[in-house]
Amino acid sequence: MNFELRQHFQIESARFLPHLPAAHPCARMHGHSFKIILSLIGPLDPQLGWVMDYNDIERLAKPILNELDHRVLNEVVGLENPTSELLAKWLFDRLQKLIPLLKYVLVLETPTTECRYPLN
Ligand SMILES: [Zn+2]
């Protein structure tokens, strides 16, 4: 019997998308309050009755998120083209090593846009 946990985080980051035409607004340096949502799927610990302690998820995820918070994403190794898609993959590839139950990462660059990686 599996359950899904989701935990929400927020980072403030600057970026520009270097491969867009100069007239595109995202080609210019700008900032986002990115919402990052981590989804974990796993069974209940029979004694504790939960999948994983949210405090432990936060403790493991924070150092990775801090590498991006109040930074220019383009200056982070691996994020030279920091689209939401590539940001979601960058985060998943690092966080999944620390949090094996991590199923996917959602990146919201605005309240109305979401990017999920991976899909399964
Ligand atoms: Zn943007």
Side-chain angles (χ1 to χ4, degrees):
M1 182 171 53
N2 281 342
F3 289 79
E4 178 177 7
L5 303 184
R6 292 186 195 161
Q7 193 160 357
H8 296 212
F9 299 89
Q10 186 163 313
I11 58 172
E12 319 294 332
S13 305
R15 75 166 187 196
F16 61 93
L17 298 181
H19 303 302
L20 293 176
H24 194 291
C26 292
R28 299 192 293 269
M29 182 70 84
H30 62 283
H32 283 287
S33 296
F34 287 98
K35 181 171 268 190
I36 310 291
I37 301 173
L38 307 183
S39 165
L40 285 67
I41 294 179
L44 292 188
D45 179 300
Q47 183 64 32
L48 298 173
W50 67 24
V51 176
M52 186 172 171
D53 189 336
Y54 287 114
N55 289 319
D56 289 336
I57 300 170
E58 181 172 357
R59 179 177 51 78
L60 293 164
K62 269 291 172 135
I64 304 290
L65 293 168
N66 283 345
E67 291 181 42
L68 308 177
D69 189 37
H70 287 76
R71 305 273 179 193
V72 177
L73 296 180
N74 304 70
E75 296 175 354
V76 176
V77 173
L79 286 177
E80 291 81 5
N81 181 29
T83 61
S84 285
E85 289 85 339
L86 293 171
L87 178 55
K89 183 177 187 329
W90 190 96
L91 285 166
F92 182 82
D93 289 348
R94 280 154 185 80
L95 291 170
Q96 214 262 336
K97 291 179 186 136
L98 304 173
I99 307 170
L101 293 177
L102 183 65
K103 200 68 180 173
Y104 62 84
V105 174
L106 277 172
V107 171
L108 287 73
E109 64 181 48
T110 71
T112 57
T113 59
E114 295 187 14
C115 172
R116 173 180 163 169
Y117 178 85
L119 296 187
N120 46 33

